[in-house]
Amino acid sequence: MIRTEEIYDAATDDAVFDRLASTLADAVGARSGVLHWGRAPQHVAEISYSGYFSDAQMAVYDQQFQDDDIWGVALDRAEAINRAWNIEAFVPAQTYEGSRIYNEWIKGMGDDTFRCLGGMIQKDGTTGHIGLHRGRTQKPFSEGEVRAVQDSIDHIGRMFAIRSKLDRANHYGRSLHATLDMVGHAVFTLRPNGVLIDCNHLADALLRRADALSLRQRQLKAREPREDEALQTALRGAAARQGGQASAIFVHREQGLPYVLSIASVRVGMERQIVVIVTDPADRDLSLTSRIRALYGLTRAEAEVAEALCAGRGLEELSQERGVALNTVRTQIKNIYVKLDCSRQSELVARIGALPRLSGFEEE
């Protein structure tokens, strides 16, 4: 029996969520289970494993076999949404037996996982998957076991939706905290209409100097009319873009080299914000790593890993170079994907590659 209170406990308790796949598997007599949700079918925000497969085995699945998961593909159809299924209804045993994932991953590690009770769940903007498994020599899932999971589908969907809302709130808090605590740059966060949301202490000090930038009706303005026109054009361009492409402009001050403004649109939860980083070429760190941290709220380690991935480094190479476990690098990469609103290394490379190189100032 699947207890509803355990499903809802997982909405706010990370430890209960981590155990939920195992709890559901035990309830229907499955020997393994996986449960995950994201904000789109291709996005995975959180995963609960039952523990039958090791982290290393699941890492091989993520890297080499995820796109060949014919069970998951079978559930990605309109009539399958928000229903529990014996997957053999979509993927006959002989089809699965001839699949790459079965022959190269399952059999390759000496396993015989052959049966699946699963479903795709969509609720309030979240997409989740559930998969409960048995071996080839074990009995098929019964209609009663499928109904037991079906009776819990709505509850699991609501639990996913609650975790998604909490995740967005936490992500917003992390982004704002990173902005306020960022050192070495003046950082402004703006709404798409240009209204100031917040700024860090260096940005506040810059406004007090009033030598290049000011706030008027909570809008960021440049002192010189021609440069203000360029600034407002850049802000409107950032608000209109859907990706992470950034632009850079120079704003002159009364004395000294001009400030360099890097301007980008970033996603915070389900919303978009404009981030403006103001750097002083005379005494501020203009490195790409530093600006990645400021734009996306990455830790220094995450920013270094992101830049290394863009340079073509592999997971094992990064693990050895940084002297950390492979799982640590994987965790950092997952955090990077969440903060940069992407799901693949190619998207990360494109996003970081779109950041402007501040020619004449930035270190090579």
Side-chain angles (χ1 to χ4, degrees), residues 288-305:
L288 181 60
T289 298
S290 181
R291 288 188 294 128
I292 293 171
R293 290 185 67 195
L295 276 172
Y296 300 109
L298 302 184
T299 66
R300 179 172 293 280
E302 290 168 352
E304 290 171 352
V305 167

Side-chain angles (χ1 to χ4, degrees), residues 228-242:
D228 184 59
E229 182 178 347
L231 172 59
Q232 302 311 316
T233 299
L235 294 176
R236 287 193 296 271
R241 284 191 290 269
Q242 294 301 308

Side-chain angles (χ1 to χ4, degrees), residues 16-35:
V16 176
F17 178 82
D18 289 342
R19 296 193 302 268
L20 188 57
S22 181
T23 300
L24 296 174
D26 291 343
V28 298
R31 75 178 186 189
S32 67
V34 60
L35 191 73

Side-chain angles (χ1 to χ4, degrees), residues 116-193:
C116 179
L117 191 173
M120 178 185 286
I121 308 168
Q122 292 186 344
K123 180 75 172 178
D124 294 344
T126 62
T127 298
H129 290 82
I130 178 172
L132 307 172
H133 315 110
R134 286 178 179 162
R136 185 167 191 156
T137 60
Q138 295 180 296
K139 65 179 182 179
F141 288 100
S142 68
E143 291 184 6
E145 289 163 342
V146 174
R147 281 197 303 272
V149 175
Q150 179 62 51
D151 290 343
S152 299
I153 287 289
D154 284 345
H155 302 302
I156 295 172
R158 293 189 189 100
M159 180 271 295
F160 285 153
I162 293 170
R163 289 194 71 86
S164 177
K165 291 175 182 176
L166 291 173
D167 179 71
R168 290 198 297 269
N170 289 336
H171 184 47
Y172 176 84
R174 288 194 302 269
S175 176
L176 184 59
H177 180 76
T179 297
L180 294 174
D181 288 348
M182 184 60 57
V183 295
H185 296 283
V187 185
F188 299 89
T189 54
L190 312 173
R191 301 194 188 283
N193 63 4

Side-chain angles (χ1 to χ4, degrees), residues 114-364:
F114 202 80
R115 309 187 191 281
C116 179
L117 191 173
M120 178 185 286
I121 308 168
Q122 292 186 344
K123 180 75 172 178
D124 294 344
T126 62
T127 298
H129 290 82
I130 178 172
L132 307 172
H133 315 110
R134 286 178 179 162
R136 185 167 191 156
T137 60
Q138 295 180 296
K139 65 179 182 179
F141 288 100
S142 68
E143 291 184 6
E145 289 163 342
V146 174
R147 281 197 303 272
V149 175
Q150 179 62 51
D151 290 343
S152 299
I153 287 289
D154 284 345
H155 302 302
I156 295 172
R158 293 189 189 100
M159 180 271 295
F160 285 153
I162 293 170
R163 289 194 71 86
S164 177
K165 291 175 182 176
L166 291 173
D167 179 71
R168 290 198 297 269
N170 289 336
H171 184 47
Y172 176 84
R174 288 194 302 269
S175 176
L176 184 59
H177 180 76
T179 297
L180 294 174
D181 288 348
M182 184 60 57
V183 295
H185 296 283
V187 185
F188 299 89
T189 54
L190 312 173
R191 301 194 188 283
N193 63 4
V195 172
L196 179 71
I197 298 173
D198 222 316
C199 62
N200 67 355
H201 68 281
L202 286 175
D204 186 59
L206 187 151
L207 291 174
R208 287 199 303 270
R209 286 198 298 273
D211 62 347
L213 295 169
S214 63
L215 276 183
R216 279 176 262 163
Q217 297 180 326
R218 295 192 64 78
Q219 303 268 342
L220 190 63
K221 301 287 186 180
R223 180 172 58 90
E224 294 292 334
R226 182 175 298 179
E227 292 183 344
D228 184 59
E229 182 178 347
L231 172 59
Q232 302 311 316
T233 299
L235 294 176
R236 287 193 296 271
R241 284 191 290 269
Q242 294 301 308
Q245 184 181 0
S247 61
I249 64 171
F250 296 98
V251 174
H252 289 81
R253 47 186 163 172
E254 293 174 350
Q255 295 181 345
L257 293 170
Y259 292 121
V260 183
L261 276 61
S262 295
I263 302 166
S265 171
V266 298
R267 184 176 293 279
V268 180
M270 299 300 289
E271 299 180 352
R272 285 205 168 269
Q273 295 178 3
I274 300 172
V275 177
V276 179
I277 306 170
V278 184
T279 51
D280 184 344
D283 59 8
R284 299 300 179 201
D285 177 11
L286 296 176
S287 68
L288 181 60
T289 298
S290 181
R291 288 188 294 128
I292 293 171
R293 290 185 67 195
L295 276 172
Y296 300 109
L298 302 184
T299 66
R300 179 172 293 280
E302 290 168 352
E304 290 171 352
V305 167
E307 190 171 3
L309 288 172
C310 292
R313 301 279 206 285
L315 295 185
E316 292 187 359
E317 186 179 2
L318 273 171
S319 173
Q320 293 173 359
E321 285 182 357
R322 301 181 66 78
V324 297
L326 201 57
N327 280 341
T328 299
V329 178
R330 289 197 186 98
T331 298
Q332 290 170 333
I333 291 173
K334 288 181 180 179
N335 290 339
I336 292 166
Y337 285 169
V338 170
K339 293 178 181 180
L340 269 73
D341 187 29
C342 59
S343 58
R344 296 182 182 275
Q345 186 171 341
S346 58
E347 294 178 45
L348 171 68
V349 172
R351 189 143 302 177
I352 300 301
L355 292 174
R357 270 45 178 182
L358 306 180
S359 59
F361 296 118
E362 187 166 344
E363 298 174 356
E364 296 294 335

